[in-house]
Amino acid sequence: MIKFENTYTDLPEILYSSEVPDTVQNPQLLAFNKELASDLGISLSDLDDKDLAKLFSGQVIPDGASSVALAYAGHQFGHFVPQLGDGRAMLLGEVKSSQGKQYDVQLKGSGRTNYSRGGDGKSSLGPVVREYIVSEAMHFLGVPTTRALAAVSTGENVYREQPLPGGVFTRVASSHIRVGTFEFLAARGENDSIRLLVEYCIQRHFPHIANEEDIILKFLHEVAKVQSKMVAHWLSLGFIHGVMNTDNMSISGETLDFGPCAFIDNFSRGRVFSSIDKNGRYSYGNQINIAKWNLSRLASCLIPLIGEDEKEAITLLENSINSYLDIYESDRQTKMIPKFGLFESTDKDSDVVEKWLDYLESEDLDFTNSFRALSGDLSNFKKTPLFDQFHELWTDRLSNQAQDLDEARALMNSSNPIYIPRNHQVERAIQASLSGDHSVMTQMNELLKRPFIEQTDFEEYKKAPLENERVTATFCGT
Ligand code: AMP
Ligand code: MG
């Protein structure tokens, strides 16, 4: 039983379109997230795998589900596209978690919609496996993210450069409202609908500001806060989203759309993985600037709602956006300093962080393993002048805090993961799944539930890729 609510369809009709998922030949369940289902009050214990496969490929629409595709626009690599939308996804409806929080349940890859443009509305199995593994790993690393409820293979091929097995992914999100949803309305001059959407977002994501004055500015500020936290967390783990277009930036501050994303291995601030990101727009080190740029796009949609005087509205919104980098600086400290065993931040800490990153970059070192090694035997690090400079700053900080070294090490080990979904391993899981073996995906999903804890028999997953295993480019999730 899934008890759906459908509050999104109470919004203006321009924002969605009713759809029916495609029929598929032979749906098979590859993964089902029982714990998440139970958190969401979804009780399906009377269903076997066959029934679940039918349900999570859209062959059976549960009672009370809405089945709609959502409209949005977006800036893609800086260029505005006024009409995007769920071209291969359908929202079944919303459910309430055990904590009373509302979540969307969405099928991805379930067929063409009103917004499919030239696309087939389908998904190949590769992106389904990638999103399942990486989004769940992000959750267990503590990063705000959408989640994976189910993965199903359809038994049909989809046609990309070559025929590939098709799949449907079931995504759970706090909502699917994006910066691009606002841009969609703004491009059409739908100011009343923008106001309704702001109210809806506040009710759903930021109820604590519902009764405040200057609500539009407050709303922008709340979005800035949650997005800043998310990006700070990404950077602290070496995560590169890969395609931070405004249509992939969630208003709720959850990591959304795992297309050409990757965790960095050998560290470089300019690293990109997306094969289409030729200019490094979405590189590791540029993610915060882009988050700010995306927020400015949201701010520009809000101008008509601030008041009569457009110039004054722009100034107010600009001031709000300009405070973003300060918010971010503080979030970055909060996320970074525990990785060095530091309990309270001081104004010297960004030197510690930057020197360390300089060292990793200059020695081409693995980001995750190097951080984890900070709590161990430091003699394994090559002693270069950069290392010495970092070490001096760092030990000075460690010796001037109240906590002892054991406490510092414990903090480091709870902030620096041992296991991340390494690119080459995700790729291995995808290749195995494409040939019908889903055991690698299952194993990774289990392992990555405890990323900070040593687990025997999983040595392989700790290792940085060998030269010939390195994945240098990932592709969009189509
Ligand atoms: P993404 O790169 O996944 O963020 O997708 C960008 C846009 O392309 C969204 O509007 C998607 O719905 C749409 N899209 C991606 N793949 C397909 C597909 N196979 N069929 C239809 N639309 C698609
Ligand atoms: Mg997208």
Side-chain angles (χ1 to χ4, degrees), residues 72 76 84-89 108 115-123 160 178 243 247-248 257 476-478:
Y72 51 85
Q76 300 193 309
L84 289 165
D86 288 336
R88 55 172 160 165
K108 203 170 163 185
Y115 313 114
S116 294
R117 298 173 292 161
D120 61 0
K122 304 277 186 183
S123 187
R160 300 294 178 256
R178 306 143 194 265
V243 60
D247 51 300
N248 291 336
D257 272 9
C476 266
T478 46

